[in-house]
Amino acid sequence: MKSDGSKKYLYIIIFLIVLCVGTSIVRKIYEMGPKLDTVSAFNNKRVTVAVVEGYIFEERTKAILPKAKIEVFETREDAYQALLGGRVDGVVDDEALIRARLRSQDKLVLVDGYLEPSDYSFIFPIDEKGKKICDEYSEYIDKLEASGELAALDEKWFGDDTDNKVSESYLELPDTNGSLTIAYEDKTIPFTYKSRNQLVGYDVDIAIGFCKEYGYKPNFVETTFTDMLTGVSKGDYDAGCGSITVSEERSKSMLFGSPDYKGGISICTLKKVDKGGKGFLYGIKDNFHDAFVEGNRFKIFFGGILATILLVLGGILVGTPSGFIMFILSRKATFLMRGLTKLFAWIIHGVPAIMMIMSLYYSYYMNLFYGGFIAASICFVFVFGEEVYRILNHWSLKIDDGQFERKYRVEAITAGEFFRGLFSKNSDELLYEYREAVVRLIKMTSVVGYVSVQDMTKVVDTIRLESYELALPLFLTTIVYFVIIAIFSKLVSVLIGRRLAKISLSEELEMEYDELVDGLETETDEDE
């Protein structure tokens, strides 16, 4: 046994060494890849760039970087998370939006040059009212540019000062010349976005100033970029704003005012950090820092582990008596209750845990604080209770081909006598199956532990996207759960094993006492 145990730990150490070496080799290969410091360097079949659907980025990237692989994402956040996680080599986006993102993310860098220089402006419907407002807007922008106010807005929203990123309130503006419905897309920082539940941004300042100048009352409507373009072209909105690139194709279905910002379509990529030739150990230390230390990312792992432990304890402490209750109801209750109990156990046994959690979450707990954790707790109480019920049911029917269980069902013996007899006859087997049920519970909650404290709709890539690393965090998390399983298994063996041993001993003493009494009675009969 000692030899087997030594081999197990030796295998773990070898696996750790191989993983560390492999991680360093992969990092070195990555660092030896193409030097992505210019836009033209991305025109390489070994390079993958991310674009956001609904914009002109995909079309222009295919035309300018025909050799590059293109991956399309639904949102900007998804695209940038893929870049930070190493899934893509760059993100194609408006240069202005990349500049704004660099202020809060020091791992990123703006590549030199443009895929295509661009002008940005507000859009208006092609009708009489739209033409009038567009002309007024162009007149206003020309005035701002001539006075230097446009440059001041650029410094305000694209500069490093974070104390002045506030737009004035527009709610009390008069509607002297009517109101304007202005569509915008949220999170196009710094053009249009929300800060502290207030709409702010470069284009927001321009829109408010324009409405004050011409007597309009602005009515901002949040929408998607695609809906904004469609809505303006149909006349559903009076204007649209938020980093809108002027293009010949779009000019066929909408009007553009004078450009309020000049930039272009560019590429954002990861900084190549110089390790200074510090070698293998430095690479391991750097990996650990990126995965756990920077940005307090260790809280993600501790939060998941804590959630797992709480879910397991709840499943054991509440699920175990629930399993006993289910077993008793399936034997002692009315015909209807017995049927419902067995049906409930059958449903719990057949439905995947994650689907049960999702159903509970979206049906009842979605709007509650820690709703995901509550849904997961209820689910695993049900799951573990059904496991306990199934164990009791299996071993009760196995004793004497079910004769012992029938005595309990027809009330020939009490519940206490039944369970004492059940545990005394199968203590080792019951302990083994119960311990295995606990291990299965931990394995299930090791995933849900993270998901339930993060976002119930982000089951895949939670750890990787939050920590920007893959191998090291997952390996260390595996080690942590290996230890948790070992600890819980040992506790179950010690605590439950002692209890079953006492039950078995008391049963043996009772049997010896009964045999002794029977022997004395027999001797007495013979003497008589």
Side-chain angles (χ1 to χ4, degrees), residues 53-123:
E53 67 178 3
Y55 299 85
I56 63 173
F57 303 141
E58 183 178 4
E59 172 192 340
R60 303 312 302 148
T61 303
K62 286 180 179 178
I64 300 168
L65 305 175
K67 294 182 180 179
K69 299 176 183 176
I70 298 175
E71 190 163 348
V72 182
F73 292 85
E74 291 185 2
T75 67
R76 279 190 168 90
E77 289 306 315
D78 290 341
Y80 281 100
Q81 289 287 7
L83 174 60
L84 291 166
R87 181 174 166 183
V88 298
D89 300 295
V91 176
V92 176
D93 204 351
D94 290 320
E95 174 255 1
L97 302 185
I98 295 176
R99 283 175 55 193
R101 190 172 288 270
L102 296 183
R103 290 203 305 267
S104 60
Q105 181 49 261
D106 60 1
K107 284 182 172 288
L108 304 179
V109 64
L110 178 65
V111 175
D112 291 338
Y114 294 121
L115 270 79
E116 186 177 76
S118 303
D119 292 334
Y120 301 85
S121 178
F122 281 44
I123 54 175

Side-chain angles (χ1 to χ4, degrees), residues 44-289:
N44 189 313
K45 62 182 181 181
R46 296 172 56 191
V47 171
T48 302
V49 294
V51 299
V52 184
E53 67 178 3
Y55 299 85
I56 63 173
F57 303 141
E58 183 178 4
E59 172 192 340
R60 303 312 302 148
T61 303
K62 286 180 179 178
I64 300 168
L65 305 175
K67 294 182 180 179
K69 299 176 183 176
I70 298 175
E71 190 163 348
V72 182
F73 292 85
E74 291 185 2
T75 67
R76 279 190 168 90
E77 289 306 315
D78 290 341
Y80 281 100
Q81 289 287 7
L83 174 60
L84 291 166
R87 181 174 166 183
V88 298
D89 300 295
V91 176
V92 176
D93 204 351
D94 290 320
E95 174 255 1
L97 302 185
I98 295 176
R99 283 175 55 193
R101 190 172 288 270
L102 296 183
R103 290 203 305 267
S104 60
Q105 181 49 261
D106 60 1
K107 284 182 172 288
L108 304 179
V109 64
L110 178 65
V111 175
D112 291 338
Y114 294 121
L115 270 79
E116 186 177 76
S118 303
D119 292 334
Y120 301 85
S121 178
F122 281 44
I123 54 175
F124 307 90
I126 301 180
D127 55 27
E128 185 177 347
K129 180 181 179 182
K131 180 68 168 59
K132 173 179 178 296
I133 299 171
C134 182
D135 290 342
E136 293 173 341
Y137 170 82
S138 297
E139 182 181 59
Y140 178 70
I141 292 299
D142 294 340
K143 177 182 174 182
L144 291 184
E145 189 170 15
S147 66
E149 292 179 66
L150 200 61
L153 284 176
D154 185 282
E155 176 62 28
K156 172 183 176 181
W157 290 103
F158 293 93
D160 294 329
D161 187 359
T162 58
D163 296 330
N164 62 347
K165 304 292 190 289
V166 179
S167 297
E168 65 177 295
S169 175
Y170 57 87
L171 299 177
E172 302 300 326
L173 289 181
D175 56 351
T176 306
N177 293 320
S179 62
L180 294 183
T181 302
I182 305 175
Y184 74 94
E185 182 188 21
D186 190 17
K187 298 180 180 179
T188 55
I189 303 172
F191 288 93
T192 53
Y193 65 103
K194 289 179 181 177
S195 176
R196 299 176 183 176
N197 293 324
Q198 180 183 351
L199 182 61
V200 299
Y202 179 86
D203 276 3
V204 176
D205 276 5
I206 292 176
I208 293 173
F210 168 71
C211 289
K212 289 174 65 177
E213 180 82 10
Y214 290 89
Y216 296 114
K217 182 179 180 63
N219 176 30
F220 289 98
V221 177
E222 181 183 345
T223 183
T224 64
F225 189 79
T226 303
D227 181 67
M228 176 169 56
L229 297 181
T230 304
V232 170
S233 65
K234 291 182 177 180
D236 296 335
Y237 307 120
D238 297 315
C241 65
S243 182
I244 304 175
T245 304
V246 178
S247 73
E248 184 177 349
E249 182 66 26
R250 288 174 179 170
S251 297
K252 297 176 182 179
S253 58
M254 62 194 72
L255 297 174
F256 284 95
S258 295
D260 55 53
Y261 185 87
K262 296 181 183 292
I265 303 173
S266 191
I267 302 178
C268 178
T269 189
L270 288 174
K271 286 182 180 178
K272 290 295 181 70
V273 181
D274 184 11
K275 306 300 179 185
K278 295 184 180 180
F280 172 76
L281 292 179
Y282 183 85
I284 297 299
K285 178 183 177 182
D286 185 64
N287 279 352
F288 185 85
H289 182 274

Side-chain angles (χ1 to χ4, degrees), residues 206-433:
I206 292 176
I208 293 173
F210 168 71
C211 289
K212 289 174 65 177
E213 180 82 10
Y214 290 89
Y216 296 114
K217 182 179 180 63
N219 176 30
F220 289 98
V221 177
E222 181 183 345
T223 183
T224 64
F225 189 79
T226 303
D227 181 67
M228 176 169 56
L229 297 181
T230 304
V232 170
S233 65
K234 291 182 177 180
D236 296 335
Y237 307 120
D238 297 315
C241 65
S243 182
I244 304 175
T245 304
V246 178
S247 73
E248 184 177 349
E249 182 66 26
R250 288 174 179 170
S251 297
K252 297 176 182 179
S253 58
M254 62 194 72
L255 297 174
F256 284 95
S258 295
D260 55 53
Y261 185 87
K262 296 181 183 292
I265 303 173
S266 191
I267 302 178
C268 178
T269 189
L270 288 174
K271 286 182 180 178
K272 290 295 181 70
V273 181
D274 184 11
K275 306 300 179 185
K278 295 184 180 180
F280 172 76
L281 292 179
Y282 183 85
I284 297 299
K285 178 183 177 182
D286 185 64
N287 279 352
F288 185 85
H289 182 274
D290 289 346
F292 295 100
V293 179
E294 185 172 332
N296 293 328
R297 291 172 189 145
F298 64 89
K299 293 180 180 179
I300 299 169
F301 300 93
F302 286 152
I305 291 167
L306 176 61
T308 294
I309 293 174
L310 292 177
L311 288 171
V312 171
L313 289 175
I316 293 173
L317 297 177
V318 182
T320 299
S322 299
F324 275 81
I325 292 172
M326 288 170 63
F327 180 83
I328 293 171
L329 289 176
S330 69
R331 299 301 193 276
K332 290 291 189 179
T334 62
F335 176 79
L336 177 60
M337 185 58 69
R338 289 199 302 271
L340 291 176
T341 301
K342 291 178 181 179
L343 176 63
F344 177 76
W346 179 74
I347 292 173
I348 297 299
H349 184 67
V351 176
I354 192 64
M355 299 305 298
M356 198 185 312
I357 294 171
M358 288 292 192
S359 300
L360 289 169
Y361 177 74
Y362 286 113
S363 300
Y364 303 104
Y365 304 108
M366 184 170 60
N367 298 320
L368 295 181
F369 187 66
Y370 285 131
F373 183 80
I374 295 172
S377 299
I378 295 173
C379 168
F380 288 115
V381 165
F382 288 163
V383 168
F384 195 74
E386 190 274 333
E387 286 255 27
V388 172
Y389 162 78
R390 195 152 44 86
I391 292 171
L392 294 174
N393 189 59
H394 169 73
W395 286 104
S396 67
L397 295 174
K398 194 170 183 180
I399 300 174
D400 300 330
D401 294 329
Q403 294 296 326
F404 186 67
E405 186 266 347
R406 290 191 189 96
K407 290 180 181 180
Y408 173 56
R409 197 177 345 133
V410 299
E411 300 184 357
I413 56 176
T414 65
E417 291 171 337
F418 172 78
F419 288 119
R420 280 197 300 273
L422 179 64
F423 295 145
S424 66
K425 297 176 185 297
N426 303 283
S427 59
D428 291 339
E429 292 86 352
L430 282 166
L431 176 60
Y432 174 80
E433 287 208 21

